[in-house]
Amino acid sequence: MVSDQQIARERIAILHEKAEQAARDGEQDRAREYVRRARRIAERNRLSLPAEFDRFTCDACDAYLLPGRNARVRTRGGHVVVTCDCGGQARYRYR
Ligand SMILES: [Zn+2]
């Protein structure tokens, strides 16, 4: 038996891949659409999004972030700061 949550996780992983591919192709609007769909699926199934997904998407505008393309990455005092073109920032601790 495959649970709904497993199916949801798989769909999120696929959408993540598609978002990355679209972003690499310069199709930011399509990438955003995939990011939003993945977020909705996570919400509906009460799943938390994978850390990697969180890391590469902008909370403010849903863009899929590609450092050097539409995002800048800096390290600062044990944190990684990712700045989206929209000005949104995400901060992570080093591991
Ligand atoms: Zn943004």
Side-chain angles (χ1 to χ4, degrees):
M1 259 307 262
V2 181
S3 72
D4 285 353
Q5 288 216 331
Q6 267 173 289
I7 292 168
R9 268 198 201 94
E10 218 157 279
R11 288 181 65 198
I12 289 166
I14 290 165
L15 286 166
H16 185 176
E17 263 172 46
K18 282 174 179 273
E20 181 178 356
Q21 195 53 56
R24 286 191 194 287
D25 291 344
E27 307 237 27
Q28 286 302 336
D29 286 343
R30 205 149 53 85
R32 273 195 184 87
E33 190 50 44
Y34 291 134
V35 168
R36 285 182 187 132
R37 264 154 70 181
R39 286 212 171 115
R40 274 202 295 273
I41 291 168
E43 242 167 66
R44 230 180 278 140
N45 293 276
R46 295 192 190 82
L47 290 170
S48 52
L49 287 158
E52 226 181 292
F53 184 97
D54 247 8
R55 212 173 258 248
F56 289 107
T57 54
C58 175
D59 279 343
C61 74
D62 297 328
Y64 191 89
L65 302 173
L66 290 177
R69 288 278 285 275
N70 62 354
R72 278 170 297 133
V73 180
R74 284 177 305 137
T75 55
R76 198 171 185 176
H79 285 85
V80 180
V81 182
V82 184
T83 308
C84 173
D85 274 352
C86 80
Q89 280 195 339
R91 215 171 284 259
Y92 310 97
R93 257 191 190 294
Y94 269 129
R95 296 194 194 186

